[in-house]
Amino acid sequence: SRTRNVLGASVADLFGRGITDEAWDGLEEALISADVGVTATLEIVEDLKRRSREEGVVTAEGVVALLKQELRDALGSTDRSLGRADDEGPTVWLVTGVNGTGKTTTIGKLAAVEQREQRQVVLAAADTFRAAAAEQLGIWAERTGAALVRKDEGADPASVAFEGYAAANEREADLLIVDTAGRLHNKRELMDELGKVKRVLEKQAGPLEETLLVLDATTGQNGISQARAFLEAVEVTGIALTKLDGSSKGGIVVAVQRELGLPVKLVGLGEEIDDLAPFDPDLFVDGLFEQL
Amino acid sequence: MFDALSSKLEIALDRVRGRGRLDAATVDATLKEIRLALLEADVNFKVVKGIVERLRERLVGEEVAKALNPAQQVVKAVSQELERALGGESAGLALTGKPAVIMLAGLQGSGKTTAAGKLAKLLKSKGRHPMLVACDLQRPAAVQQLKVNAERVGVHVYAPVTAGDPVPVARESIAKARESGCDVVIVDTAGRLHVDEELMGQAAAIREAVQPDETLFVIDAMIGQEAVNVARAFLDGVGFDGVILSKLDGDARGGAALSVREVTGKPIKFASIGEKMEDFEAFHPDRMASRILGMGDVMTLIEKA
Ligand SMILES: Nc1nc2c(ncn2[C@@H]2O[C@H](COP(=O)(O)OP(=O)(O)OP(=O)(O)O)[C@@H](O)[C@H]2O)c(=O)[nH]1
Ligand SMILES: Nc1nc2c(ncn2[C@@H]2O[C@H](COP(=O)(O)OP(=O)(O)OP(=O)(O)O)[C@@H](O)[C@H]2O)c(=O)[nH]1
Ligand SMILES: [Mg+2]
Ligand SMILES: [Mg+2]
């Protein structure tokens, strides 16, 4: 497969002249330039060095196998499917993240998948802050045939979420997806506001089936503090990693998964309606070394 | 007050206190910490290499003033080096055309449409008459978003269509501006990936059509290692005169600022520091240097030393 080839070939090249310090440095650089992060990279490389010593690995192929295992372990083996309600009421997915990562677009793509599978979707435009945010979500509702619940700019986002759930319930829809305004995780007030949106929804719906954090694959080390803050504020259950169609590798999710145990569930691969895929750890790990 | 890096440097440098000159071994230990700090701040690893080499030349043999804390002395040298790399004094806009034209370009979601509104507000406050031009005909509701921003800051907007080819819109906007008495045209463009040849070509065509006085590349302060490739591709594919660093109100260290400046040589002109139209200011290399190093207030610290 493509996976074995790229990762195998590039890392094998690196260790082609033996398992040397230069080769380890090269691997370190490859991981850092994929945004895996300094701490995670140093730990992964240390671990690999130790294991290859202990296990008597002397070939490039041996290192490749260990590295693959290490990265796969770092990404965990959790269930990556999206949660669904097992009771009567509609499933609720709340979508969060910092500004401009791709929340609204990802929601549009998700709605398309769901509607295509004959599930009725309601979208709630709880971003009442950014200029034309509700119009943007409205266009996605039109494209996908989902219903839209919105209010005027400046309305209380929690009340939009509330009405979204009420509408989904009344229509006996299968799924409510709530869009929220982008917010930087260091802004206390905005994070509290998000917490309120979630609490209001939970009061109606019980525990939400998913609270997704949308991370931009171009994000560097700040991704960890984003994930930490959103996890703390709204107990994120999974990550959607967007813009993987660019040249960034999205390596920050390795650190996020290692440190916080947050699984990546979805990847965004473009701006079009079908540019969404389930996260495939093998493809992802392979991609980390694509341009080595 | 002492942040992570300074306290690590204290440890690395403690034994040289009052010993005269920094020797190679001490400088190595020190540079190791600085390298890690820069990488953690998302400065591109190749750019880090260059900076570390320059610092090595500067630091080896440097006299350790007896009265000074060596860690502070090194921090000072490092922040001077970063400041230099970030481009010294902040650069303004050169708007001479009639109308003058500003074009914004960058990756998806970097903050272009918001910056368009902010620039309009800033220029309006200086007595200019800006017109926003909607050349993002791609993202859903992008045109509406720009219109709302224009309304928020009370400036003209030219948004004749919501779909199709943005190049004619750009071209016609110049005459429209003259007709409506506007003396600055600010062209918002769709977000695009630097690896998307077709869309990069479109941006180049827009630029060709309006011949901007200032093409500004908008980049998110949270971006990681790819900042260098993105910036270089926009410079080669579209061309730009300056940079707007956005979302600096977050807690990202913003090492991208160094990467972009190093690989393009273009000045960072503005810092975007919030979602509101007034959250916009001139870029300050000195503040950015301490931010990248993760120092709350390096300069005051050094001054006290
Ligand atoms: N190339 C690419 N672009 C994407 C992807 N996902 C979203 N985008 C683009 O990124 C930009 C921002 O997307 P939005 O969905 O508006 O992001 P958001 O998180 O809702 O933004 P705010 O609500 O303003 O915080 C738009 O131009 C999208 O078309 C992706 O997977 N790949
Ligand atoms: N906190 C903060 N948010 C910002 C800043 N600049 C822009 N934003 C937000 O970032 C998101 C994206 O901004 P836009 O101006 O739509 O970005 P864009 O580059 O025009 O996006 P596309 O047209 O989709 O490529 C919005 O939620 C903005 O409100 C900033 O300096 N700070
Ligand atoms: Mg949105
Ligand atoms: Mg825009």
Side-chain angles (χ1 to χ4, degrees):
Chain A
S1 78
R2 185 179 147 244
T3 306
R4 202 158 300 118
N5 290 341
V6 177
L7 171 67
S10 51
V11 180
D13 275 355
L14 213 50
F15 288 87
R17 285 202 221 130
I19 301 177
T20 60
D21 282 350
E22 290 79 61
W24 289 119
D25 285 350
L27 180 61
E28 196 181 297
E29 273 177 10
L31 289 167
I32 284 176
S33 59
D35 289 321
V36 169
V38 180
T39 315
T41 293
L42 295 182
E43 283 172 16
I44 287 171
V45 172
E46 268 320 300
D47 225 38
L48 277 179
K49 278 186 187 169
R50 184 184 47 76
R51 284 181 61 186
S52 60
R53 235 183 359 252
E54 283 172 7
E55 294 168 32
V57 173
V58 290
T59 63
E61 289 71 34
V63 177
V64 171
L66 277 185
L67 173 64
K68 230 181 137 172
Q69 211 184 339
E70 183 84 18
L71 289 169
R72 283 301 317 269
D73 288 352
L75 287 167
S77 55
T78 17
D79 180 13
R80 300 181 192 278
S81 61
L82 296 170
R84 296 186 189 273
D86 41 23
D87 53 8
E88 279 292 282
T91 293
V92 182
W93 297 343
L94 177 66
V95 180
T96 70
V98 301
N99 307 81
T101 52
K103 296 175 289 299
T104 308
T105 308
T106 302
I107 291 170
K109 295 171 184 173
L110 280 170
V113 173
E114 296 296 308
Q115 289 275 133
R116 214 173 288 140
E117 290 180 4
Q118 312 299 325
R119 285 188 283 268
Q120 237 202 77
V121 182
V122 174
L123 304 180
D127 179 356
T128 57
F129 182 77
R130 212 209 60 215
E135 281 79 4
Q136 185 188 359
L137 191 68
I139 291 174
W140 280 107
E142 252 166 55
R143 283 182 184 174
T144 58
L148 175 75
V149 173
R150 63 166 293 186
K151 287 187 168 189
D152 287 341
E153 207 178 290
D156 176 13
S159 81
V160 181
F162 181 90
E163 282 179 27
Y165 187 82
N169 214 11
E170 195 185 340
R171 292 163 166 261
E172 295 181 5
D174 301 287
L175 172 66
L176 169 71
I177 315 181
V178 182
D179 190 16
T180 60
R183 66 200 75 226
L184 292 178
H185 51 288
N186 58 335
K187 304 215 164 157
R188 197 47 195 271
E189 229 173 284
L190 296 179
M191 294 305 279
D192 288 349
E193 178 197 82
L194 186 63
K196 186 179 157 202
V197 170
K198 182 161 185 180
R199 278 195 306 281
V200 164
L201 279 168
E202 282 182 333
K203 222 168 179 179
Q204 288 167 290
L208 307 189
E209 280 71 28
E210 283 298 340
T211 301
L212 294 173
L213 172 68
V214 180
L215 266 187
D216 184 328
T218 53
T219 309
Q221 299 314 293
N222 195 246
I224 299 178
S225 62
Q226 289 173 31
R228 195 177 287 126
F230 278 91
L231 183 63
E232 196 169 299
V234 287
E235 288 176 73
V236 170
T237 51
I239 288 174
L241 185 64
T242 58
K243 308 186 195 175
L244 260 186
D245 47 326
S247 62
S248 287
K249 308 298 194 322
I252 192 64
V253 297
V254 175
V256 168
Q257 167 89 45
R258 282 180 92 224
E259 268 188 44
L260 305 169
L262 266 178
V264 185
K265 297 193 168 180
L266 299 164
V267 296
L269 297 162
E271 299 186 77
E272 303 300 324
I273 196 163
D274 292 325
D275 295 332
L276 184 74
F279 178 71
D280 177 335
D282 288 318
L283 268 183
F284 177 81
V285 164
D286 184 40
L288 287 180
F289 296 93
E290 215 149 49
Q291 274 151 22
L292 197 73
Chain B
M1 266 302 280
F2 253 110
D3 304 79
L5 177 63
S6 349
S7 41
K8 280 186 191 149
L9 290 184
E10 286 249 285
I11 296 167
L13 286 161
D14 203 38
R15 58 197 184 81
V16 305
R17 196 183 291 272
R19 249 212 268 155
R21 286 171 195 283
L22 291 177
D23 56 42
T26 313
V27 169
D28 274 343
T30 309
L31 288 176
K32 205 174 142 214
E33 297 301 337
I34 291 165
R35 174 176 174 267
L36 290 180
L38 293 175
L39 286 172
E40 269 163 11
D42 291 320
V43 182
N44 179 269
F45 79 95
K46 286 183 185 145
V47 173
V48 170
K49 270 187 192 162
I51 292 173
V52 165
E53 276 327 301
R54 290 201 296 272
L55 278 169
R56 188 186 307 281
E57 278 170 27
R58 178 167 171 178
L59 289 178
V60 174
E62 171 135 336
E63 251 181 76
V64 184
K66 285 210 168 63
L68 267 188
N69 170 336
Q72 289 172 352
Q73 193 174 333
V74 169
V75 164
K76 186 171 173 185
V78 175
S79 59
Q80 278 170 352
E81 173 62 30
L82 295 195
E83 243 177 86
R84 197 202 51 74
L86 283 165
E89 268 318 288
S90 49
L93 294 174
L95 300 176
T96 51
K98 290 185 176 19
V101 179
I102 301 173
M103 170 177 165
L104 300 170
L107 292 178
Q108 285 95 346
S110 55
K112 297 173 292 299
T113 309
T114 308
K118 292 174 173 183
L119 275 167
K121 185 179 167 81
L122 179 75
L123 290 167
K124 190 183 169 197
S125 76
K126 295 189 167 166
R128 306 289 299 240
H129 302 281
M131 184 174 87
L132 296 180
V133 178
C135 285
D136 178 356
L137 305 181
Q138 206 166 298
R139 166 177 168 164
V143 172
Q144 184 58 26
Q145 185 188 357
L146 191 73
K147 283 183 175 169
V148 172
N149 284 347
E151 197 176 305
R152 283 182 184 172
V153 300
V155 299
H156 279 81
V157 61
Y158 180 59
V161 290
T162 55
D165 185 358
V167 180
V169 176
R171 191 177 296 120
E172 288 149 20
S173 70
I174 307 295
K176 289 288 167 198
R178 289 198 189 105
E179 271 169 41
S180 37
C182 294
D183 57 6
V184 190
V185 166
I186 302 170
V187 182
D188 183 30
T189 64
R192 64 199 77 229
L193 292 175
H194 59 294
V195 291
D196 185 333
E197 275 175 34
E198 193 185 330
L199 284 182
M200 290 298 279
Q202 181 200 66
I206 294 174
R207 185 169 190 213
E208 184 59 32
V210 295
Q211 303 282 325
D213 298 75
E214 292 272 357
T215 303
L216 300 177
F217 170 60
V218 184
I219 188 164
D220 187 324
M222 295 179 276
I223 194 172
Q225 294 286 316
E226 280 294 292
V228 289
N229 294 326
V230 175
R232 202 180 282 127
F234 270 88
L235 189 69
D236 294 345
V238 186
F240 58 81
D241 310 293
V243 178
I244 297 178
L245 194 59
S246 70
K247 307 182 200 172
L248 266 177
D249 47 324
D251 60 3
R253 293 277 192 77
L258 262 179
S259 304
V260 170
R261 173 73 207 200
E262 281 275 308
V263 300
T264 69
K266 299 295 179 191
I268 301 169
K269 298 199 168 184
F270 295 101
S272 210
I273 50 165
E275 296 191 72
K276 301 212 186 73
M277 292 296 125
E278 61 268 26
D279 297 335
F280 199 59
E281 60 184 32
F283 177 75
H284 295 288
D286 51 341
R287 288 188 213 161
M288 197 67 214
S290 17
R291 179 178 178 135
I292 289 173
L293 285 172
M295 327 284 257
D297 209 341
V298 188
M299 287 342 265
T300 35
L301 208 91
I302 291 165
E303 277 152 19
K304 271 193 289 179

